[in-house]
Amino acid sequence: NQGVELTFGGNLTAVSGIGASAAQCVCLARALAEAQGKKLTEEEVNVAGYEGEKGYHGTPSGIDNTAATYGGVLRFQRDEEKPIFSKQVVKQRVEI
């Protein structure tokens, strides 16, 4: 067993409403897997991100970690058993 010391920096704070904590959890899952020479599936990364989000929010919806894991435009529906999501294809450019 090896100890790990983590230091996160930046201006984005957890529980700010922009998904920063979920992005942090997802990147941490990816970094730790890579450091250990493990290959995680996107679903495994997403599950790890969701578990990390529980530490910040208790009962997160699952959308922030899902967006941080898969990126793009997502359709998300929280369900009692398992959240349902699908990547959406945007056929034309969207300007905001």
Coordinates of all heavy atoms in Angstrom, one line a residue:
N1 N 0.8 -1.2 0.0 CA 0.0 0.0 0.0 C 0.9 1.2 0.0 O 1.8 1.3 0.7 CB -0.9 0.0 1.2 CG -2.0 -1.0 1.1 OD1 -2.4 -1.4 0.1 ND2 -2.5 -1.4 2.3
Q2 N 0.5 2.2 -0.8 CA 1.2 3.5 -0.9 C 0.2 4.6 -0.5 O -0.9 4.6 -0.8 CB 1.6 3.8 -2.3 CG 3.0 3.3 -2.7 CD 3.3 3.7 -4.1 OE1 2.6 3.4 -5.1 NE2 4.3 4.5 -4.3
G3 N 0.8 5.5 0.2 CA 0.0 6.7 0.6 C 0.0 7.7 -0.6 O 0.9 7.7 -1.4
V4 N -1.1 8.5 -0.7 CA -1.2 9.5 -1.7 C -1.6 10.8 -1.1 O -2.5 10.9 -0.3 CB -2.3 9.1 -2.8 CG1 -2.5 10.2 -3.8 CG2 -2.0 7.8 -3.4
E5 N -0.8 11.8 -1.5 CA -1.2 13.2 -1.0 C -1.7 14.0 -2.2 O -1.1 14.0 -3.3 CB 0.0 13.9 -0.4 CG -0.3 15.2 0.1 CD 0.9 15.9 0.8 OE1 1.7 15.2 1.4 OE2 1.0 17.1 0.6
L6 N -2.9 14.6 -2.0 CA -3.5 15.3 -3.1 C -3.6 16.8 -2.8 O -4.0 17.1 -1.6 CB -4.9 14.8 -3.4 CG -5.0 13.3 -3.8 CD1 -6.5 12.9 -3.7 CD2 -4.4 13.0 -5.1
T7 N -3.4 17.6 -3.7 CA -3.6 19.0 -3.6 C -4.3 19.5 -4.8 O -3.9 19.4 -5.9 CB -2.2 19.8 -3.4 OG1 -1.5 19.3 -2.3 CG2 -2.5 21.3 -3.2
F8 N -5.5 20.1 -4.6 CA -6.3 20.7 -5.7 C -6.2 22.2 -5.6 O -6.2 22.7 -4.5 CB -7.7 20.2 -5.6 CG -7.9 18.8 -5.9 CD1 -8.1 17.9 -4.8 CD2 -8.0 18.3 -7.2 CE1 -8.3 16.5 -5.1 CE2 -8.1 16.9 -7.4 CZ -8.3 16.1 -6.4
G9 N -6.1 22.8 -6.7 CA -6.1 24.3 -6.7 C -7.0 24.9 -7.7 O -7.6 24.2 -8.5
G10 N -7.1 26.2 -7.7 CA -8.0 26.9 -8.6 C -9.0 27.7 -7.9 O -9.1 27.8 -6.7
N11 N -9.8 28.4 -8.8 CA -10.8 29.3 -8.2 C -12.2 28.7 -8.1 O -13.1 29.3 -7.5 CB -11.0 30.5 -9.2 CG -9.7 31.3 -9.4 OD1 -8.6 30.7 -9.2 ND2 -9.8 32.5 -9.8
L12 N -12.4 27.5 -8.7 CA -13.7 26.9 -8.7 C -13.9 26.2 -7.3 O -13.0 25.4 -6.9 CB -13.9 26.0 -9.8 CG -13.8 26.6 -11.2 CD1 -13.9 25.5 -12.3 CD2 -14.8 27.7 -11.4
T13 N -15.0 26.4 -6.7 CA -15.3 25.7 -5.4 C -16.4 24.7 -5.5 O -17.3 24.8 -6.4 CB -15.7 26.7 -4.4 OG1 -16.8 27.4 -4.8 CG2 -14.6 27.7 -4.1
A14 N -16.3 23.7 -4.7 CA -17.3 22.7 -4.6 C -18.6 23.3 -4.2 O -18.6 24.3 -3.5 CB -16.9 21.6 -3.7
V15 N -19.7 22.8 -4.6 CA -21.1 23.2 -4.2 C -21.3 24.6 -4.7 O -22.0 25.4 -4.1 CB -21.4 23.1 -2.7 CG1 -22.8 23.2 -2.4 CG2 -20.8 21.8 -2.2
S16 N -20.7 25.0 -5.9 CA -21.0 26.3 -6.5 C -22.0 26.3 -7.6 O -22.4 27.3 -8.1 CB -19.6 26.9 -7.0 OG -19.2 26.0 -8.1
G17 N -22.5 25.1 -7.9 CA -23.5 25.0 -8.9 C -23.1 24.9 -10.4 O -23.9 24.9 -11.3
I18 N -21.7 24.7 -10.6 CA -21.2 24.6 -12.0 C -20.6 23.2 -12.2 O -20.0 23.1 -13.3 CB -20.3 25.7 -12.3 CG1 -19.1 25.7 -11.3 CG2 -21.0 27.1 -12.3 CD1 -18.0 26.7 -11.8
G19 N -20.7 22.3 -11.3 CA -20.2 21.0 -11.6 C -18.7 20.8 -11.3 O -18.1 19.8 -11.7
A20 N -18.1 21.8 -10.6 CA -16.7 21.7 -10.3 C -16.3 20.5 -9.5 O -15.3 19.8 -9.7 CB -16.2 23.0 -9.6
S21 N -17.1 20.2 -8.5 CA -16.8 19.0 -7.6 C -16.8 17.7 -8.4 O -16.0 16.8 -8.3 CB -17.7 18.9 -6.4 OG -19.0 18.9 -6.8
A22 N -17.8 17.6 -9.3 CA -17.9 16.4 -10.1 C -16.7 16.3 -11.1 O -16.2 15.2 -11.3 CB -19.2 16.4 -10.9
A23 N -16.4 17.4 -11.7 CA -15.2 17.4 -12.6 C -14.0 17.0 -11.8 O -13.1 16.2 -12.3 CB -15.0 18.7 -13.2
Q24 N -13.8 17.4 -10.6 CA -12.7 17.1 -9.8 C -12.7 15.6 -9.5 O -11.7 14.9 -9.6 CB -12.7 17.9 -8.5 CG -11.5 17.6 -7.6 CD -11.7 18.4 -6.3 OE1 -12.7 18.3 -5.6 NE2 -10.7 19.2 -5.9
C25 N -13.8 15.0 -9.1 CA -13.9 13.6 -8.8 C -13.6 12.7 -10.0 O -12.9 11.7 -9.9 CB -15.3 13.3 -8.3 SG -15.7 14.0 -6.6
V26 N -14.1 13.1 -11.2 CA -13.9 12.4 -12.4 C -12.4 12.4 -12.8 O -11.8 11.4 -13.1 CB -14.8 12.9 -13.5 CG1 -14.4 12.4 -14.9 CG2 -16.3 12.5 -13.3
C27 N -11.8 13.6 -12.7 CA -10.4 13.7 -13.1 C -9.5 12.9 -12.1 O -8.5 12.3 -12.5 CB -9.9 15.1 -13.3 SG -9.6 16.1 -11.9
L28 N -9.9 12.9 -10.8 CA -9.2 12.2 -9.8 C -9.3 10.7 -10.1 O -8.3 10.0 -10.0 CB -9.7 12.5 -8.4 CG -9.1 11.7 -7.3 CD1 -7.6 12.0 -7.2 CD2 -9.8 12.1 -6.0
A29 N -10.4 10.2 -10.5 CA -10.6 8.8 -10.8 C -9.7 8.4 -12.0 O -9.0 7.4 -11.9 CB -12.1 8.5 -11.1
R30 N -9.7 9.2 -13.0 CA -8.8 9.0 -14.2 C -7.4 9.0 -13.8 O -6.6 8.1 -14.2 CB -9.1 10.0 -15.3 CG -10.5 9.9 -15.9 CD -10.6 10.8 -17.1 NE -12.0 11.0 -17.6 CZ -12.6 10.1 -18.3 NH1 -12.1 9.0 -18.7 NH2 -13.9 10.4 -18.7
A31 N -7.0 10.0 -13.0 CA -5.5 10.1 -12.6 C -5.1 9.0 -11.8 O -4.0 8.4 -12.0 CB -5.3 11.4 -11.9
L32 N -5.9 8.6 -10.8 CA -5.5 7.5 -9.9 C -5.4 6.1 -10.7 O -4.5 5.3 -10.5 CB -6.5 7.3 -8.7 CG -6.4 8.4 -7.7 CD1 -7.5 8.2 -6.6 CD2 -5.0 8.4 -7.0
A33 N -6.3 5.9 -11.6 CA -6.3 4.7 -12.4 C -5.0 4.7 -13.3 O -4.3 3.7 -13.3 CB -7.5 4.6 -13.3
E34 N -4.7 5.8 -13.9 CA -3.5 5.9 -14.7 C -2.3 5.7 -13.9 O -1.3 5.0 -14.3 CB -3.5 7.2 -15.5 CG -2.3 7.3 -16.4 CD -2.3 8.5 -17.3 OE1 -3.4 9.0 -17.7 OE2 -1.2 9.1 -17.5
A35 N -2.2 6.3 -12.7 CA -1.0 6.1 -11.8 C -0.8 4.7 -11.4 O 0.3 4.3 -11.2 CB -1.2 7.0 -10.6
Q36 N -1.9 3.9 -11.3 CA -1.8 2.5 -10.9 C -1.7 1.6 -12.1 O -1.7 0.4 -12.0 CB -3.0 2.2 -10.1 CG -3.1 2.9 -8.7 CD -4.3 2.6 -7.9 OE1 -5.2 1.9 -8.4 NE2 -4.4 3.1 -6.7
G37 N -1.7 2.2 -13.3 CA -1.6 1.3 -14.5 C -2.9 0.6 -14.8 O -2.9 -0.4 -15.5
K38 N -4.0 1.1 -14.4 CA -5.3 0.4 -14.6 C -6.1 1.2 -15.7 O -5.9 2.3 -15.9 CB -6.2 0.5 -13.3 CG -5.6 -0.3 -12.2 CD -6.5 -0.3 -11.0 CE -5.9 -1.1 -9.9 NZ -6.8 -1.1 -8.7
K39 N -6.9 0.4 -16.4 CA -7.7 1.0 -17.5 C -9.1 0.9 -17.1 O -9.7 -0.2 -16.9 CB -7.4 0.2 -18.8 CG -8.2 0.6 -20.0 CD -7.6 1.9 -20.5 CE -8.3 2.3 -21.8 NZ -8.1 3.7 -22.2
L40 N -9.7 2.0 -16.8 CA -11.1 2.1 -16.4 C -12.0 2.3 -17.7 O -11.6 3.1 -18.5 CB -11.4 3.2 -15.4 CG -10.7 3.1 -14.1 CD1 -11.0 4.2 -13.2 CD2 -11.0 1.8 -13.4
T41 N -13.2 1.7 -17.7 CA -14.2 2.1 -18.7 C -14.8 3.4 -18.4 O -14.7 3.9 -17.2 CB -15.3 1.0 -18.8 OG1 -16.0 1.0 -17.5 CG2 -14.7 -0.4 -19.0
E42 N -15.4 4.0 -19.3 CA -16.1 5.3 -19.0 C -17.2 5.1 -17.9 O -17.3 6.0 -17.1 CB -16.7 5.9 -20.3 CG -15.7 6.3 -21.3 CD -14.9 7.5 -20.9 OE1 -13.9 7.3 -20.2 OE2 -15.3 8.6 -21.2
E43 N -17.8 4.0 -18.0 CA -18.9 3.7 -16.9 C -18.2 3.6 -15.5 O -18.8 4.1 -14.6 CB -19.6 2.4 -17.2 CG -20.7 2.2 -16.2 CD -21.6 1.0 -16.6 OE1 -21.6 0.5 -17.7 OE2 -22.4 0.6 -15.7
E44 N -17.1 3.0 -15.4 CA -16.4 2.9 -14.2 C -15.9 4.2 -13.7 O -16.0 4.5 -12.5 CB -15.2 1.9 -14.3 CG -15.6 0.5 -14.4 CD -14.4 -0.4 -14.8 OE1 -13.5 0.0 -15.5 OE2 -14.4 -1.6 -14.3
V45 N -15.4 5.1 -14.6 CA -15.1 6.4 -14.2 C -16.3 7.2 -13.7 O -16.2 7.9 -12.7 CB -14.4 7.2 -15.4 CG1 -14.2 8.7 -15.1 CG2 -13.1 6.5 -15.8
N46 N -17.4 7.0 -14.4 CA -18.6 7.7 -14.0 C -19.1 7.3 -12.6 O -19.5 8.1 -11.8 CB -19.7 7.5 -15.1 CG -20.9 8.4 -14.9 OD1 -20.7 9.6 -14.5 ND2 -22.0 8.0 -15.3
V47 N -19.0 6.0 -12.4 CA -19.4 5.5 -11.0 C -18.5 6.0 -10.0 O -19.0 6.4 -8.9 CB -19.4 3.9 -11.0 CG1 -19.5 3.4 -9.6 CG2 -20.5 3.4 -11.9
A48 N -17.2 6.1 -10.2 CA -16.3 6.6 -9.3 C -16.6 8.1 -9.0 O -16.5 8.6 -7.9 CB -14.8 6.5 -9.8
G49 N -16.9 8.8 -10.1 CA -17.2 10.3 -10.0 C -18.5 10.4 -9.1 O -18.6 11.3 -8.3
Y50 N -19.5 9.6 -9.3 CA -20.7 9.6 -8.6 C -20.4 9.4 -7.1 O -21.0 10.1 -6.2 CB -21.7 8.6 -9.1 CG -23.0 8.7 -8.4 CD1 -23.9 9.7 -8.6 CD2 -23.4 7.7 -7.5 CE1 -25.2 9.8 -8.0 CE2 -24.6 7.7 -6.9 CZ -25.5 8.8 -7.1 OH -26.7 8.8 -6.5
E51 N -19.6 8.4 -6.8 CA -19.3 8.1 -5.4 C -18.6 9.2 -4.7 O -18.8 9.5 -3.6 CB -18.4 6.8 -5.3 CG -19.2 5.5 -5.7 CD -20.4 5.3 -4.8 OE1 -20.3 5.4 -3.5 OE2 -21.5 4.9 -5.3
G52 N -17.7 9.9 -5.5 CA -17.0 11.0 -4.9 C -17.9 12.2 -4.7 O -17.8 12.9 -3.7
E53 N -18.9 12.4 -5.6 CA -19.9 13.4 -5.4 C -20.7 13.2 -4.1 O -21.2 14.2 -3.5 CB -20.8 13.4 -6.6 CG -20.3 14.2 -7.8 CD -20.5 15.7 -7.6 OE1 -19.6 16.3 -6.9 OE2 -21.4 16.3 -8.0
K54 N -20.9 12.0 -3.7 CA -21.6 11.7 -2.5 C -21.0 12.4 -1.3 O -21.6 12.8 -0.4 CB -21.8 10.2 -2.3 CG -22.8 9.5 -3.2 CD -22.8 8.0 -2.8 CE -23.8 7.3 -3.7 NZ -23.7 5.8 -3.4
G55 N -19.6 12.4 -1.4 CA -18.9 13.1 -0.3 C -19.1 14.6 -0.2 O -19.1 15.2 0.9
Y56 N -19.4 15.2 -1.4 CA -19.7 16.6 -1.4 C -21.2 16.9 -1.1 O -21.5 17.9 -0.5 CB -19.4 17.2 -2.8 CG -17.9 17.4 -3.0 CD1 -17.2 16.6 -3.9 CD2 -17.2 18.5 -2.5 CE1 -15.9 16.8 -4.1 CE2 -15.9 18.7 -2.7 CZ -15.2 17.8 -3.5 OH -13.9 18.0 -3.8
H57 N -22.1 16.1 -1.7 CA -23.5 16.4 -1.7 C -24.4 15.5 -1.0 O -25.6 15.7 -0.9 CB -24.0 16.6 -3.2 CG -23.2 17.6 -4.0 ND1 -23.3 18.9 -3.7 CD2 -22.4 17.5 -5.0 CE1 -22.6 19.6 -4.6 NE2 -22.0 18.7 -5.3
G58 N -23.9 14.3 -0.6 CA -24.8 13.4 0.0 C -25.6 12.5 -0.9 O -25.3 11.3 -1.1
T59 N -26.5 13.1 -1.6 CA -27.3 12.4 -2.6 C -27.3 13.2 -3.9 O -28.3 13.9 -4.3 CB -28.8 12.2 -2.1 OG1 -29.3 13.5 -1.8 CG2 -28.8 11.3 -1.0
P60 N -26.2 13.2 -4.7 CA -26.2 13.9 -5.9 C -27.1 13.3 -7.0 O -27.5 12.2 -6.9 CB -24.7 13.8 -6.4 CG -24.3 12.5 -5.8 CD -25.0 12.4 -4.5
S61 N -27.5 14.1 -8.0 CA -28.4 13.7 -9.0 C -27.7 12.7 -10.0 O -28.4 11.8 -10.5 CB -28.9 14.9 -9.8 OG -27.9 15.4 -10.6
G62 N -26.4 12.9 -10.2 CA -25.7 12.1 -11.1 C -25.4 12.8 -12.5 O -24.6 12.3 -13.3
I63 N -26.1 13.9 -12.7 CA -25.9 14.6 -14.0 C -24.5 15.2 -14.1 O -23.9 15.2 -15.1 CB -27.0 15.6 -14.3 CG1 -26.9 16.2 -15.7 CG2 -27.0 16.7 -13.2 CD1 -27.0 15.2 -16.8
D64 N -24.0 15.8 -13.0 CA -22.7 16.5 -13.1 C -21.6 15.5 -13.4 O -20.7 15.8 -14.3 CB -22.4 17.3 -11.8 CG -23.3 18.5 -11.7 OD1 -23.9 18.9 -12.7 OD2 -23.3 19.1 -10.6
N65 N -21.5 14.4 -12.7 CA -20.4 13.5 -12.9 C -20.6 12.8 -14.3 O -19.6 12.6 -15.0 CB -20.4 12.4 -11.8 CG -21.7 11.7 -11.6 OD1 -22.6 12.2 -10.9 ND2 -21.8 10.5 -12.2
T66 N -21.8 12.6 -14.8 CA -22.1 12.1 -16.1 C -21.6 13.0 -17.2 O -20.9 12.6 -18.1 CB -23.6 11.7 -16.3 OG1 -24.0 10.8 -15.2 CG2 -23.8 11.1 -17.6
A67 N -21.9 14.3 -17.0 CA -21.4 15.3 -18.0 C -19.9 15.4 -18.0 O -19.3 15.5 -19.0 CB -22.1 16.6 -17.7
A68 N -19.3 15.4 -16.8 CA -17.9 15.4 -16.7 C -17.2 14.2 -17.3 O -16.1 14.3 -17.9 CB -17.4 15.6 -15.2
T69 N -17.8 13.1 -17.2 CA -17.2 11.8 -17.7 C -17.4 11.8 -19.2 O -16.4 11.5 -19.9 CB -17.9 10.6 -17.1 OG1 -17.7 10.6 -15.7 CG2 -17.3 9.3 -17.7
Y70 N -18.6 12.0 -19.8 CA -18.8 11.7 -21.2 C -18.7 13.0 -22.0 O -18.5 12.9 -23.2 CB -20.2 11.1 -21.3 CG -20.3 9.7 -20.7 CD1 -20.8 9.5 -19.4 CD2 -19.8 8.6 -21.4 CE1 -20.9 8.3 -18.8 CE2 -19.9 7.3 -20.8 CZ -20.4 7.2 -19.5 OH -20.5 6.0 -18.9
G71 N -18.9 14.2 -21.5 CA -18.9 15.4 -22.2 C -20.0 15.4 -23.3 O -20.9 14.6 -23.3
G72 N -20.0 16.5 -24.1 CA -21.0 16.6 -25.1 C -22.4 17.1 -24.6 O -22.5 17.6 -23.5
V73 N -23.4 16.8 -25.3 CA -24.8 17.1 -24.9 C -25.5 15.8 -24.5 O -25.4 14.8 -25.2 CB -25.6 17.7 -26.1 CG1 -27.0 18.0 -25.7 CG2 -24.9 19.0 -26.6
L74 N -26.0 15.8 -23.3 CA -26.6 14.6 -22.7 C -28.1 14.8 -22.4 O -28.5 15.9 -22.0 CB -25.9 14.3 -21.4 CG -24.4 14.0 -21.5 CD1 -23.8 13.9 -20.1 CD2 -24.0 12.8 -22.3
R75 N -28.8 13.7 -22.6 CA -30.2 13.7 -22.1 C -30.0 12.8 -20.8 O -29.5 11.7 -20.9 CB -31.1 13.0 -23.0 CG -32.5 12.9 -22.5 CD -33.4 12.1 -23.5 NE -34.8 12.0 -22.9 CZ -35.2 11.1 -22.1 NH1 -34.3 10.1 -21.7 NH2 -36.4 11.0 -21.6
F76 N -30.5 13.3 -19.7 CA -30.3 12.6 -18.4 C -31.7 12.5 -17.7 O -32.4 13.5 -17.7 CB -29.3 13.4 -17.5 CG -29.1 12.8 -16.2 CD1 -28.1 11.8 -16.0 CD2 -29.9 13.2 -15.1 CE1 -27.9 11.3 -14.8 CE2 -29.6 12.6 -13.8 CZ -28.6 11.6 -13.7
Q77 N -31.9 11.4 -17.1 CA -33.1 11.2 -16.3 C -32.8 10.4 -15.1 O -32.2 9.3 -15.2 CB -34.2 10.4 -17.1 CG -35.5 10.2 -16.4 CD -36.5 9.4 -17.2 OE1 -36.4 9.4 -18.4 NE2 -37.5 8.8 -16.6
R78 N -33.0 10.9 -13.9 CA -32.7 10.2 -12.7 C -33.8 9.2 -12.5 O -35.0 9.4 -12.6 CB -32.7 11.2 -11.5 CG -32.2 10.6 -10.2 CD -32.0 11.6 -9.2 NE -31.4 11.0 -8.0 CZ -31.0 11.7 -6.9 NH1 -31.2 13.0 -6.9 NH2 -30.5 11.0 -5.9
D79 N -33.4 8.0 -12.1 CA -34.3 6.9 -11.9 C -34.0 6.2 -10.5 O -32.9 6.4 -10.0 CB -34.1 5.9 -13.0 CG -35.1 4.7 -13.0 OD1 -36.3 5.0 -13.0 OD2 -34.7 3.6 -13.0
E80 N -35.0 5.5 -9.9 CA -34.8 4.9 -8.6 C -33.6 3.8 -8.7 O -32.8 3.7 -7.8 CB -36.0 4.2 -8.2 CG -37.2 5.2 -7.8 CD -36.8 6.0 -6.6 OE1 -36.2 5.5 -5.7 OE2 -37.2 7.2 -6.7
E81 N -33.6 3.1 -9.8 CA -32.6 2.0 -9.9 C -31.2 2.5 -10.4 O -30.2 2.4 -9.7 CB -33.1 0.9 -10.9 CG -34.3 0.2 -10.4 CD -34.1 -0.6 -9.2 OE1 -33.1 -1.3 -9.1 OE2 -35.0 -0.6 -8.3
K82 N -31.2 3.1 -11.5 CA -30.0 3.6 -12.1 C -30.3 4.7 -13.1 O -31.3 4.7 -13.9 CB -29.4 2.4 -12.9 CG -28.0 2.7 -13.6 CD -27.5 1.5 -14.3 CE -26.2 1.8 -14.9 NZ -25.6 0.7 -15.6
P83 N -29.6 5.8 -13.0 CA -29.8 7.0 -13.9 C -29.8 6.5 -15.4 O -29.0 5.7 -15.8 CB -28.7 8.0 -13.6 CG -28.3 7.6 -12.2 CD -28.4 6.1 -12.1
I84 N -30.7 7.1 -16.2 CA -30.7 6.9 -17.6 C -30.2 8.1 -18.3 O -30.6 9.2 -18.1 CB -32.2 6.7 -18.0 CG1 -32.8 5.5 -17.2 CG2 -32.3 6.4 -19.5 CD1 -34.3 5.4 -17.3
F85 N -29.2 7.8 -19.2 CA -28.7 9.0 -20.0 C -28.4 8.5 -21.4 O -28.1 7.3 -21.6 CB -27.5 9.6 -19.3 CG -26.2 8.8 -19.5 CD1 -25.4 9.1 -20.5 CD2 -25.9 7.9 -18.6 CE1 -24.2 8.4 -20.6 CE2 -24.7 7.1 -18.7 CZ -23.9 7.4 -19.7
S86 N -28.4 9.4 -22.3 CA -27.9 9.1 -23.7 C -27.2 10.4 -24.2 O -27.6 11.5 -23.9 CB -29.1 8.7 -24.5 OG -30.0 9.8 -24.6
K87 N -26.2 10.2 -25.0 CA -25.6 11.3 -25.7 C -26.5 11.7 -26.8 O -27.0 10.9 -27.5 CB -24.2 10.9 -26.2 CG -23.1 10.7 -25.1 CD -21.8 10.6 -25.7 CE -21.2 11.9 -25.8 NZ -19.7 11.9 -26.1
Q88 N -26.6 13.0 -27.0 CA -27.4 13.6 -28.0 C -26.5 14.1 -29.2 O -25.5 14.7 -28.9 CB -28.3 14.7 -27.5 CG -29.2 14.3 -26.3 CD -30.2 13.3 -26.8 OE1 -31.0 13.6 -27.6 NE2 -30.2 12.1 -26.2
V89 N -27.0 13.9 -30.4 CA -26.3 14.4 -31.5 C -26.9 15.8 -31.9 O -28.1 15.9 -32.1 CB -26.4 13.4 -32.7 CG1 -25.7 14.0 -33.9 CG2 -25.7 12.1 -32.3
V90 N -26.0 16.8 -31.9 CA -26.5 18.1 -32.3 C -26.2 18.2 -33.8 O -25.0 18.2 -34.2 CB -25.8 19.2 -31.5 CG1 -26.3 20.6 -31.9 CG2 -26.1 19.0 -30.0
K91 N -27.2 18.4 -34.6 CA -27.0 18.4 -36.1 C -26.6 19.7 -36.6 O -26.1 19.8 -37.8 CB -28.3 17.9 -36.8 CG -28.6 16.4 -36.4 CD -29.8 15.9 -37.1 CE -30.0 14.5 -36.6 NZ -31.2 13.9 -37.1
Q92 N -26.8 20.8 -35.9 CA -26.4 22.1 -36.3 C -25.8 22.8 -35.2 O -26.1 22.6 -34.0 CB -27.5 22.8 -37.0 CG -28.8 23.0 -36.1 CD -29.9 23.6 -36.9 OE1 -29.7 24.6 -37.6 NE2 -31.1 23.0 -36.9
R93 N -24.9 23.7 -35.5 CA -24.3 24.5 -34.5 C -25.3 25.3 -33.7 O -26.2 25.9 -34.2 CB -23.3 25.5 -35.2 CG -22.4 26.2 -34.2 CD -21.3 26.9 -34.9 NE -21.8 28.1 -35.4 CZ -21.1 29.1 -36.0 NH1 -19.8 28.8 -36.2 NH2 -21.6 30.2 -36.4
V94 N -25.0 25.4 -32.4 CA -25.9 26.1 -31.5 C -25.1 27.3 -31.0 O -24.0 27.2 -30.5 CB -26.3 25.3 -30.3 CG1 -27.1 26.1 -29.3 CG2 -27.1 24.1 -30.7
E95 N -25.6 28.5 -31.1 CA -25.0 29.7 -30.6 C -25.7 30.2 -29.4 O -26.9 30.3 -29.4 CB -24.9 30.8 -31.7 CG -24.0 30.4 -32.8 CD -23.8 31.5 -33.8 OE1 -24.0 32.7 -33.5 OE2 -23.5 31.2 -35.0
I96 N -25.0 30.6 -28.4 CA -25.6 31.1 -27.2 C -25.2 32.6 -27.0 O -24.0 32.9 -27.1 CB -25.1 30.3 -26.0 CG1 -25.6 28.8 -26.2 CG2 -25.7 30.9 -24.7 CD1 -25.2 27.9 -25.1

